[in-house]
Amino acid sequence: MQKKWVVDTNFVYHAMVKTFGQYDIVLISTVKQELDNHKTAISDDLRFQARQANRFIFENYDSFTHITTEYDAEEILGTEYSNEVKDNKIVACAKANGFGILTNDLNMYSTARDFGIPVESFNENTELNFERYKGFTEVKVTQEEMIRFNVEYLTKNKYNLYLNEYLILTDDLGNQEAFLWNGAYHESLNPKLVFRSTHLETYQPKDVYQLLAMDSIIRNKFTIINGVAGVGKTLGALSYAMQEIEAGTNFNKLIFITNNMPAKDAFYNGLVKGSLIEKLLSSSIGNMLGSKLGSKDQVLDMIMSGVLEIIPLSDVRGWEPQENSIVLISEGQNFSREGMKLAIQRVPSTCKLIIEGDSLTQVDSKLFEGRNNGMLIASEVFRGQDYFGQVELQNVYRSEMAKRAELMSNWK
């Protein structure tokens, strides 16, 4: 059985949204009463935090365990632990029920340790322990080392790569070689890959990272492509899909799974009238497809002819995608771990799955941050599987403005 964790008020304010879905959380009446009291606090910030926390709890009520019992800290912990101190009641609840504690408070952390209670400490700046996995390892070598690698190390996993992880070697003259570790040897990549279709311009790799992404899409049943805006994530995946569908050899349909979210800090313009298709074509997914494929009318023609399907995540449960389809999850950074799990579980073995998104800079809701981000969790779960590949694209090609705009997030 999964361990339950009782939380204090500071954790609710500063870490509960970030870690939502990672822990089985217990909310006790002591914490709820404090949240309620803070709604009328003198501090504007505290009142705001309390309202936000109460709304989050209300909207996700069934995701928590709720306990109304008031615990006697003096009886459970000892008379030196006064009931006047609310934190003591939280520790008492954990001790009485065998719960762990999640806290931002160092004193509570110490008290929990004193009683042998499992405890984890968080603060606003907590890094949530994601290994930055790019899907490749990049190594600078000399010309001699490059030659030696090709002679001595092609069958040895010298750089401790995952299965299906790529290796980029760059020598001191700027020459590059790219390999895939296939479990037996380093497989050299074809540098002249190209995707062609009548719907889109010919897609050729502009750098080695795009080459890796193209190779992974061709080679694997499941590929994750990560990267900031303008690196070619969607265009590459869409170019491959159009090529395959037009060829009619392996795949005959493209399916987009979308979880439409307003951009972070953007104003939402309200409900859009019309059918589901009209609503979707009026959203970001419709704008993206229209710009890539020529117009929204062309997108609609593809939908009506059965070549393209767009399905919102809210309708995925119970839906069965057509076999021999390419399933593309767009803006994958805006999926929770449960939402992403649900979407992946719908994909049959005859389909190819591609997830593209920017989990680095474009997560549009706190609900998808940290260890509740479905794209990041999928990377952890699937890396090393013989049907999975991942590539983080590195270079922005949309425009010089788009490239420089990346500086705005961390500009001082």
Side-chain angles (χ1 to χ4, degrees):
M1 183 180 295
Q2 183 178 353
K3 176 176 283 295
K4 293 182 181 292
W5 300 80
V6 64
V7 299
D8 66 1
T9 309
N10 278 327
F11 180 88
V12 171
Y13 287 154
H14 299 305
M16 189 161 74
V17 173
K18 293 179 181 179
T19 60
F20 185 66
Q22 181 181 354
Y23 297 97
D24 189 349
I25 287 178
V26 175
L27 295 171
I28 68 171
S29 57
T30 303
V31 171
K32 288 184 175 181
Q33 289 167 17
E34 192 166 18
L35 291 173
D36 197 53
N37 290 337
H38 287 175
K39 290 192 299 184
T40 57
I42 295 174
S43 166
D44 290 341
D45 287 342
L46 191 56
R47 290 201 304 272
F48 176 76
Q49 285 181 320
R51 289 195 300 271
Q52 292 292 96
N54 278 298
R55 178 178 294 278
F56 183 79
I57 291 168
F58 172 78
E59 291 174 347
N60 299 280
Y61 186 88
D62 292 336
S63 298
F64 307 112
T65 298
H66 301 266
I67 292 181
T68 58
T69 304
E70 282 287 330
Y71 287 86
D72 189 327
E74 296 176 15
E75 179 180 329
I76 297 170
L77 305 179
T79 54
E80 64 271 33
Y81 294 92
S82 170
N83 282 313
E84 297 300 315
V85 179
K86 291 183 173 62
D87 286 353
N88 289 342
K89 293 186 176 183
I90 295 171
V91 177
C93 172
K95 181 172 174 57
N97 294 283
F99 297 156
I101 294 177
L102 303 175
T103 180
N104 280 4
D105 186 271
L106 294 179
N107 186 59
M108 183 183 289
Y109 183 89
S110 179
T111 303
R113 292 286 299 272
D114 290 342
F115 286 95
I117 297 170
V119 59
E120 295 188 14
S121 179
F122 293 81
N123 59 55
E124 287 183 272
N125 298 315
T126 295
E127 289 292 332
L128 295 173
N129 298 320
F130 275 110
E131 175 194 351
R132 176 76 174 274
Y133 181 64
K134 298 181 179 181
F136 61 85
T137 293
E138 197 163 7
V139 182
K140 291 185 178 180
V141 296
T142 65
Q143 285 181 287
E144 292 76 14
E145 288 171 331
M146 183 87 84
I147 295 169
R148 186 178 178 188
F149 180 87
N150 279 280
V151 172
E152 297 183 15
Y153 292 106
L154 286 180
T155 59
K156 299 176 183 178
N157 192 4
K158 178 179 180 180
Y159 297 105
N160 196 31
L161 305 179
Y162 285 99
L163 179 63
N164 281 353
E165 184 177 356
Y166 293 97
L167 174 66
I168 304 169
L169 297 182
T170 306
D171 71 18
D172 38 17
L173 294 180
N175 299 309
Q176 281 187 329
E177 289 192 47
F179 305 88
L180 174 93
W181 175 247
N182 64 19
Y185 61 92
H186 290 89
E187 185 177 337
S188 185
L189 302 189
N190 175 11
K192 297 182 179 180
L193 290 179
V194 61
F195 297 152
R196 291 189 177 91
S197 69
T198 58
H199 284 85
L200 294 161
E201 295 180 1
T202 298
Y203 185 89
Q204 293 176 288
K206 292 183 171 67
D207 58 34
V208 67
Y209 312 106
Q210 288 189 353
L211 174 66
L212 304 187
M214 294 172 72
D215 180 81
S216 183
I217 290 172
I218 295 168
R219 181 187 303 270
N220 294 306
K221 283 281 189 180
F222 180 8
T223 294
I224 289 179
I225 306 174
N226 200 10
V228 300
V231 295
K233 311 181 292 292
T234 312
L235 182 59
L238 197 56
S239 295
Y240 172 78
M242 290 296 97
Q243 169 186 278
E244 295 301 295
I245 290 169
E246 289 180 15
T249 52
N250 298 312
F251 304 104
N252 48 40
K253 188 170 188 175
L254 172 60
I255 300 172
F256 272 86
I257 301 178
T258 179
N259 191 26
N260 276 324
M261 292 285 300
K264 188 175 184 179
D265 300 327
F267 177 74
Y268 182 59
N269 292 306
L271 297 176
V272 177
K273 295 181 179 179
S275 65
L276 176 60
I277 293 299
E278 289 172 322
K279 292 176 189 290
L280 290 171
L281 290 182
S282 297
S283 70
S284 59
I285 190 72
N287 294 334
M288 181 276 290
L289 286 171
S291 66
K292 297 287 192 294
L293 296 173
S295 71
K296 290 186 180 180
D297 286 339
Q298 286 180 283
V299 176
L300 184 58
D301 288 344
M302 293 176 66
I303 293 172
M304 299 308 293
S305 65
V307 172
L308 173 66
E309 181 178 358
I310 308 172
I311 182 163
L313 179 63
S314 57
D315 295 342
V316 161
R317 181 173 281 115
W319 163 76
E320 292 290 342
Q322 181 177 314
E323 292 195 350
N324 301 311
S325 296
I326 296 173
V327 179
L328 179 53
I329 296 179
S330 183
E331 302 291 337
Q333 75 276 3
N334 288 329
F335 283 62
S336 70
R337 67 159 69 194
E338 289 299 320
M340 186 65 80
K341 181 184 81 170
L342 176 63
I344 293 172
Q345 286 178 328
R346 306 313 302 169
V347 180
S349 60
T350 60
C351 293
K352 186 182 287 282
L353 173 63
I354 305 168
I355 297 175
E356 61 86 5
D358 177 9
S359 59
L360 305 172
T361 67
Q362 292 190 33
V363 178
D364 290 316
S365 170
K366 287 187 174 182
L367 292 174
F368 310 134
E369 290 181 350
R371 297 203 63 81
N372 198 41
N373 187 277
M375 189 171 174
L376 292 174
I377 292 295
S379 168
E380 286 190 351
V381 169
F382 286 95
R383 73 183 64 153
Q385 300 300 303
D386 61 5
Y387 53 83
F388 175 78
Q390 178 172 340
V391 178
E392 181 184 303
L393 298 178
Q394 302 294 298
N395 298 314
V396 175
Y397 291 103
R398 179 169 293 154
S399 67
E400 284 301 315
M401 282 190 294
K403 184 176 182 178
R404 187 161 179 81
E406 278 302 313
L407 300 175
M408 295 176 66
S409 295
N410 300 309
W411 194 264
K412 303 296 184 183

